[in-house]
Amino acid sequence: MNAARHYLVFLQRCGRIAFVGDWRYYAWMGLLTVVSLLGLNAYARQMADGLISTGMSDQVSWGVYIANFTFLVGVAAAAVMLVIPVYIYNNEELHDLVIFGELLAVAAILMCLAFVTVDLGRPDRFWHLIPGIGQFNFPASMLSWDVLVLNGYLLLNIHICGYLLYCRYQGRKPAKWFYIPFVFVAIGWAVSIHTVTAFLYVGLGGRPFWNSSIVGPRFLASAFTAGPALIILALQIIRNVTQYRITDRALLTLRGIVQVSMLINVFLLLNEVFKEFYSGNLHIVSSKYLFVGLHGHHALVPWIWTAIAFNLIAMVLLVLPLSRSLRWLNLTCILSISGIWIEKGMGLVIPGFIPTPLGQIVEYSPSLNETLVCLGIWAAGLLAYTIFLRMAVPILQGRLSRANEGRSPDPALDGTAAPEVAAGH
Amino acid sequence: MPLPDSSAPLTGVTRRSFLRGTVALSGVAALAAALAPLRRLDDYTTVERFMQKYYKELTPDEMARVLARITSEVEREYGVRPHVRDLKPMDGVEFVYALNLTRCIGCRKCVHACVNENNQSRNPEIQYIRVLRLPHGSLDIEKAEHNYAPESVPEKGYFYMPVQCQQCKNPPCVKVCPVHATWQETDGITVVDYDWCIGCRYCEAACPYWARRFNFAKPSLPKDRLNPEMAYLGNRPRRQGVMEKCHFCIQRTRAGRYPACLEVCPAGARKFGNILDPDSEVAYILRTKRVFIQLKEEMGTSPRFFYYFDV
Amino acid sequence: MESDLPDTRTRWVLRGLFVTFAALAAAFVLDLWRHPVSSAVIPPVDPKFLDTATVRRSYADLVRAKEDLSDFDCYGCHERGKPPVLAFDANHNLVVPEVHSDVVMGHGRHNRNNLCFNCHDENNLEVFQTRDGRELKFAESPQLCGSCHGPTLRDWDAGVHGRTSGYWNRSAGPIDRKQCVNCHNPHSPKFPGRAPAPGPHLLHPVETTAVEPHGH
């Protein structure tokens, strides 16, 4: 009972701290809330009018919602990139940062679930998906696998972060058996969430653009490029805003991961391009549409070549020692993330539908309402991540701990107090 | 050093928390207001519809109640009292469709007869059948023209191929549906439980024949064109956000009749029947005609739709 | 060391947020940026494209409908025992007499079959004759067509050529099999072309400025 009460106090303090900060915090959270509300309003419109308020059609029946979903599953999977060096290679430098990575994974998975929900025609029937209560088509449908692995990954990460943070709050050492096994499961599970998402596409024999064995490896390579790149940027922001100690060495370790992954990603791209265009058989029409246009339709061509340019420039920069400097590294990260977002979004989902299996070409561009919903979900995700960090950083710095419970006003809410305990455990 | 609290009121509300509280309240108000468009949602769902069980789990009593509810809903909306039945598949029947590509003239009457028979939405337009115009000598779908509009059909140098759900023996759509909302019945028809579908459109992505349609908006059909002879798995009016497709006119074929597309075809290009009956037209065709095309045979879907030629 | 008053910048940010949220709430409730969902105005299809009637009616149809059969009363004008004489022009093409001007001959490639008495019996105008000397009544016209078009007759017999309607399940009801003349004009059997029904409309109409080569 006592333990439950302590936990409730912990939660209450965490909750309160989310609403307190300096003017920059309020401005940032305020902006994100406004965008989220615009998105929510746009979604309410979509619920009322139907999915006709998006740019989708019977010809292109998945659009930016699923594109963002695919990208974000990759980001969530890439949180494991921090876990591997820490727990397998015992890289102490990255130890605490694992939590930041896993919190990003939680936020990313929440965004994924949101993107899938807004894409549904009948979200009121979500309960049909619940195993045991509804009719869960497992193991035949890859979507059922996705439901399981995504929710499992979410729970896994919430458990690991939650447990580690609560132990730190209580000032006690976490019991290894209560989190280490889960961490190792999470490594494998992270690879599986993205592989299952890839299999969603690969398993469709009727769409030759997707029905290729390179899609799975490509997904992982691009996820492990964009994910750590996002984490590099996020860690620098955390460092700036909270004075949490993050060494450049940690950032450069992550750079190493991005470097290798990007090289693999570009190599796989070359493989794809060769396979599609060298033999000249008829199944390559979607690739033609994407890279050079088809029958006068070429809306995606500038996008994919921009993405390829970004990725190639980023790859070159990553290989050069130039990108060891933070300014260049940040540019490289931004280029990688943008390039991969375009590639996985427009470059994967849309060409699978153009032309249709009956040869019709109907192009797609998201409607304003659809874009607002996407921006709203991104804002809500960033909002969630900011709240997670707003709770986690003071805990890791020791400013929010059991030791200073019960004092009024709550000393954790004062952003200028010096950390009582050095970071790192 | 704490500053003197000049504004500590009796209620204990400080100015800081007052300002933050007001902002929070206005945020909550904005959140509630953001949901305003939901006012436009009428008839989205009721408790009864929300709780409705899966088709295969409905007892005969529950099905009777569901049919009664559908009957009254349709009557309320369209002013016509429909006759809604739950027709079961017949034993010893497996439906097969054969289409004679020598005879099809591309007039598209089948498309519209289907729309009329199956109560499809006119706006947004839903048509189960898509007629392709192909040049002589090639079955390359990339050369297909969907929007031909000449003065007169057939046009020289072309042939026409109507495509609709092929009711595959090995249907990819059934495999991928996460909630079993679509499945194949014993008579070969792949059906959709419109009240179970969650609208994820995975089946639409999976179908190699582009045969499935989604209700992107509330379907609209004119009241005077409603076909009141309905089946639960067939042509009863659908809702916004669910999938639909050709079901071989289940409300006709399970009552022993020909589908609407076949009856309207002026060239007699369409043939339909029970392949398990050796005296049926379709058994005759598969026995005697030399060349059949099963579209995209290499997909392994094993369609129950056979295209053939006379000459 | 927590001050009761947030610093000035924070206060202004908070006040700004309050105003923004309030304005947003108002804008939502007033539906300020409602985008009407653009959909094409699709005209209802012409009912002729839904019509299941055949283009012609057979002799049997006319008898069943108790229609006026005076057109088939050949000996109302012709004389029994006096076979009609055919007229030909300079190119050996049949000249259809004025009284039968509704008959336009065009049977077979190069009009090979443009001879009345290939099918009609000049000695008994109320029946048909086949090339192998069989006599057929008007209602048995499919056998006449089939005397030359054998494979087609075989298919028609099996229900595979031509139009059918009614019941595929014969124990539930009858099949209604149309005869040759329900679709084909026996004197000029080739199907005339017809205007097709309108093509499909896109969910989101696109302004097309030019027709692409393949019309996609």
Side-chain angles (χ1 to χ4, degrees):
Chain A
M1 258 302 82
N2 222 11
R5 198 178 63 81
H6 282 304
Y7 193 63
L8 280 172
V9 169
F10 163 68
L11 289 177
Q12 188 207 24
R13 289 181 79 191
C14 286
R16 269 235 307 275
I17 207 176
F19 285 91
V20 175
D22 64 1
W23 69 271
R24 294 175 304 173
Y25 181 75
Y26 287 130
W28 170 243
M29 299 298 264
L31 172 68
L32 289 179
T33 309
V34 167
V35 177
S36 302
L37 288 176
L38 284 170
L40 181 66
N41 178 251
Y43 180 59
R45 266 175 230 284
Q46 185 187 285
M47 285 271 284
D49 297 330
L51 280 151
I52 197 174
S53 60
T54 69
M56 295 187 274
S57 57
D58 277 320
Q59 287 85 355
V60 184
S61 48
W62 278 344
V64 276
Y65 293 156
I66 299 298
N68 275 306
F69 162 78
T70 310
F71 177 75
L72 285 165
V73 174
V75 168
V80 81
M81 284 284 93
L82 286 174
V83 172
I84 292 179
V86 170
Y87 288 95
I88 296 185
Y89 297 108
N90 277 316
N91 184 330
E92 283 298 319
E93 206 60 72
L94 291 179
H95 223 168
D96 264 353
L97 308 183
V98 167
I99 292 191
F100 296 147
E102 290 188 349
L103 288 172
L104 179 63
V106 172
I109 294 278
L110 289 174
M111 283 199 268
C112 289
L113 295 175
F115 271 117
V116 166
T117 307
V118 301
D119 189 62
L120 287 180
R122 300 291 314 196
D124 59 316
R125 297 184 186 170
F126 73 93
W127 68 269
H128 295 180
L129 268 169
I130 302 174
I133 305 178
Q135 289 289 322
F136 200 57
N137 188 8
F138 182 87
S141 167
M142 294 315 297
L143 252 181
S144 68
W145 281 81
D146 230 357
V147 167
L148 285 179
V149 296
L150 286 180
N151 285 295
Y153 192 65
L154 178 66
L155 291 173
L156 211 51
N157 280 304
I158 289 177
H159 166 73
I160 296 171
C161 297
Y163 180 66
L164 288 176
L165 284 171
Y166 190 49
C167 283
R168 181 71 74 86
Y169 173 85
Q170 292 180 313
R172 56 188 179 86
K173 227 168 147 34
K176 281 201 170 335
W177 64 268
F178 208 55
Y179 77 99
I180 299 267
F182 293 98
V183 165
F184 280 94
V185 168
I187 295 175
W189 203 290
V191 171
S192 86
I193 62 169
H194 216 20
T195 311
V196 166
T197 305
F199 283 1
L200 276 181
Y201 299 101
V202 175
L204 302 184
R207 306 243 176 215
F209 183 70
W210 292 338
N211 187 223
S212 150
S213 27
I214 208 168
V215 175
R218 192 94 207 276
F219 263 39
L220 283 162
S222 56
F224 293 160
T225 312
L230 258 172
I231 295 174
I232 289 174
L233 295 175
L235 287 178
Q236 288 176 74
I237 295 174
I238 295 172
R239 184 163 72 174
N240 263 337
V241 172
T242 69
Q243 286 84 47
Y244 187 87
R245 191 179 69 99
I246 296 171
T247 61
D248 276 4
R249 263 239 320 250
L251 296 175
L252 290 175
T253 311
L254 287 170
R255 169 185 172 270
I257 296 170
V258 179
Q259 190 182 52
V260 173
S261 302
M262 181 55 103
L263 282 165
I264 297 176
N265 188 34
V266 171
F267 173 67
L268 292 176
L269 168 68
L270 291 174
N271 271 267
E272 257 190 288
V273 170
F274 176 81
K275 178 255 181 191
E276 293 291 285
F277 290 102
Y278 184 81
S279 64
N281 71 38
L282 292 179
H283 279 304
I284 62 157
V285 272
S286 292
S287 295
K288 265 174 87 173
Y289 170 73
L290 177 61
F291 288 104
V292 298
L294 189 66
H295 298 311
H297 294 93
H298 41 65
L300 285 185
V301 176
W303 286 94
I304 191 63
W305 286 106
T306 308
I308 291 178
F310 281 4
N311 282 346
L312 287 175
I313 296 172
M315 181 186 76
V316 168
L317 285 174
L318 280 166
V319 167
L320 295 175
L322 192 60
S323 55
R324 296 181 75 87
S325 106
L326 282 180
R327 240 204 355 234
W328 282 101
L329 181 60
N330 289 341
L331 172 68
T332 310
C333 287
I334 292 172
L335 286 174
S336 308
I337 294 165
S338 316
I340 286 168
W341 185 87
I342 295 173
E343 231 180 20
K344 247 167 159 164
M346 336 277 259
L348 172 85
V349 177
I350 311 304
F353 291 102
I354 301 176
T356 67
L358 295 185
Q360 192 181 17
I361 298 178
V362 174
E363 296 196 279
Y364 162 83
S365 62
S367 66
L368 174 65
N369 211 57
E370 208 175 351
T371 311
L372 278 174
V373 174
C374 290
L375 289 173
I377 295 178
W378 272 95
L382 285 171
L383 200 62
Y385 191 47
T386 312
I387 291 177
F388 296 156
L389 290 173
R390 183 77 187 91
M391 298 192 274
V393 168
I395 293 176
L396 292 172
Q397 286 177 324
R399 284 185 293 116
L400 180 61
S401 76
R402 175 92 161 266
N404 62 12
E405 237 178 53
R407 300 222 292 260
S408 183
D410 193 333
L413 298 182
D414 179 1
T416 59
E420 285 165 26
V421 177
H425 58 84
Chain B
M1 197 161 91
L3 292 170
D5 185 356
S6 56
S7 64
L10 301 155
T11 51
V13 175
T14 61
R15 257 206 259 175
R16 160 173 267 182
S17 61
F18 174 75
L19 191 50
R20 282 213 298 263
T22 326
V23 172
L25 261 177
S26 62
V28 169
L31 179 93
L35 299 172
L38 293 178
R39 287 179 299 194
R40 286 205 298 272
L41 254 188
D42 61 334
D43 199 38
Y44 188 68
T45 190
T46 60
V47 173
E48 204 189 338
R49 282 210 294 265
F50 179 75
M51 301 296 298
Q52 186 177 315
K53 293 201 323 220
Y54 184 48
Y55 174 81
K56 290 188 191 172
E57 291 185 342
L58 289 168
T59 64
D61 272 341
E62 287 168 332
M63 175 51 90
R65 264 204 300 279
V66 168
L67 293 178
R69 191 200 74 220
I70 294 173
T71 309
S72 61
E73 280 169 359
V74 172
E75 193 171 10
R76 202 174 33 240
E77 175 131 17
Y78 295 95
V80 173
R81 190 166 179 80
H83 179 215
V84 191
R85 295 158 294 167
D86 175 34
L87 293 164
K88 295 297 184 196
M90 294 179 275
D91 284 328
V93 170
E94 187 183 339
F95 291 124
V96 150
Y97 215 115
L99 205 146
N100 192 337
L101 289 178
T102 315
R103 306 290 165 206
C104 177
I105 56 171
C107 67
R108 294 195 184 109
K109 278 180 87 166
C110 51
V111 176
H112 295 280
C114 167
V115 167
N116 202 41
E117 165 71 25
N118 290 304
N119 294 322
Q120 287 162 38
S121 173
R122 307 302 199 265
N123 205 337
E125 186 185 78
I126 292 189
Q127 294 172 342
Y128 295 160
I129 304 174
R130 180 58 69 96
V131 184
L132 305 178
R133 187 190 73 181
L134 286 158
H136 269 174
S138 175
L139 268 172
D140 179 11
I141 300 276
E142 298 309 319
K143 298 200 177 80
E145 173 57 64
H146 295 236
N147 292 92
Y148 61 91
E151 298 256 318
S152 157
V153 283
E155 301 159 274
K156 210 166 152 60
Y158 296 101
F159 68 97
Y160 301 88
M161 185 159 73
V163 182
Q164 63 212 68
C165 173
Q166 311 272 292
Q167 318 291 351
C168 312
K169 273 211 181 77
N170 184 16
C173 57
V174 170
K175 199 163 39 176
V176 300
C177 175
V179 289
H180 284 303
T182 190
W183 68 91
Q184 180 140 116
E185 300 248 293
T186 54
D187 57 358
I189 306 181
T190 304
V191 296
V192 179
D193 182 353
Y194 309 120
D195 290 332
W196 195 254
C197 172
I198 59 173
C200 70
R201 306 188 300 292
Y202 197 13
C203 57
E204 194 166 20
C207 177
Y209 305 103
W210 196 65
R212 300 188 65 113
R213 302 285 180 268
F214 181 68
N215 282 286
F216 283 90
K218 187 162 188 290
S220 81
L221 59 133
K223 293 187 172 63
D224 57 337
R225 288 239 154 261
L226 185 80
N227 175 6
E229 289 300 316
M230 299 179 183
Y232 180 86
L233 292 171
N235 64 339
R236 63 184 173 103
R238 280 72 65 190
R239 309 202 105 83
Q240 172 178 307
V242 299
M243 300 298 301
E244 56 182 269
K245 68 175 190 66
C246 165
H247 42 71
F248 275 1
C249 278
I250 207 169
Q251 66 277 355
R252 285 175 158 242
T253 52
R254 284 190 177 168
R257 297 171 60 199
Y258 285 115
C261 48
L262 182 151
E263 292 212 336
V264 83
C265 176
R270 290 168 166 274
K271 297 296 159 201
F272 175 89
N274 175 13
I275 194 64
L276 301 177
D277 172 9
D279 294 327
S280 64
E281 299 96 87
V282 286
Y284 176 93
I285 290 169
L286 292 184
R287 225 173 22 239
T288 58
K289 301 297 170 189
R290 205 100 60 101
V291 180
F292 308 102
I293 299 148
Q294 286 178 295
L295 264 189
K296 304 202 190 199
E297 202 177 341
E298 71 278 8
M299 294 290 163
T301 48
S302 237
R304 288 202 179 78
F305 215 98
F306 296 88
Y307 296 93
Y308 66 100
F309 297 91
D310 271 340
V311 291
Chain C
M1 278 197 295
E2 193 188 348
S3 146
D4 173 48
L5 288 172
D7 67 274
T8 324
R9 259 190 306 202
T10 312
R11 262 184 294 158
W12 278 109
V13 167
L14 286 174
R15 283 187 194 129
L17 278 182
F18 171 72
V19 169
T20 312
F21 286 150
L24 211 52
F28 288 152
V29 170
L30 293 172
D31 223 4
L32 274 189
W33 49 82
R34 170 104 188 255
H35 290 276
V37 175
S38 69
S39 55
V41 176
I42 301 173
V45 74
D46 188 328
K48 77 172 184 225
F49 292 117
L50 303 171
D51 189 6
T52 54
T54 55
V55 287
R56 309 180 77 252
R57 294 199 292 170
S58 65
Y59 183 76
D61 290 338
L62 295 173
V63 168
R64 249 197 312 271
K66 297 187 175 48
E67 301 259 338
D68 172 27
L69 297 170
S70 54
D71 267 351
F72 292 85
D73 180 20
C74 311
Y75 290 111
C77 299
H78 288 275
E79 228 185 282
R80 278 188 203 273
K82 200 167 157 215
V85 175
L86 297 178
F88 294 89
D89 68 13
N91 292 325
H92 307 286
N93 292 325
L94 178 77
V95 176
V96 177
E98 205 54 46
V99 280
H100 291 299
S101 59
D102 57 320
V103 172
V104 178
M105 291 302 295
H107 197 138
R109 291 256 181 92
H110 312 298
N111 301 321
R112 273 182 216 131
N113 204 19
N114 277 4
L115 200 58
C116 314
F117 302 125
N118 280 356
C119 294
H120 292 280
D121 186 346
E122 62 268 46
N123 295 309
N124 180 0
L125 295 170
E126 287 166 344
V127 295
F128 296 124
Q129 63 177 347
T130 65
R131 303 310 296 152
D132 55 341
R134 280 180 290 149
E135 190 184 279
L136 294 167
K137 300 208 240 308
F138 280 156
E140 295 168 328
S141 59
Q143 297 302 318
L144 173 66
C145 309
S147 68
C148 286
H149 300 284
T152 310
L153 179 72
R154 272 205 299 276
D155 279 352
W156 179 82
D157 252 335
V160 162
H161 181 102
R163 296 183 63 172
T164 53
S165 68
Y167 290 79
W168 63 264
N169 184 4
R170 309 286 188 266
S171 46
I175 183 177
D176 174 16
R177 197 146 35 119
K178 305 298 178 192
Q179 293 196 328
C180 321
V181 296
N182 276 120
C183 296
H184 299 278
N185 180 333
H187 304 119
S188 182
K190 191 172 153 74
F191 265 23
R194 53 170 71 207
H201 297 89
L202 291 177
L203 182 68
H204 303 292
V206 175
E207 301 91 49
T208 40
T209 46
V211 178
E212 284 90 30
H214 292 271
H216 283 115

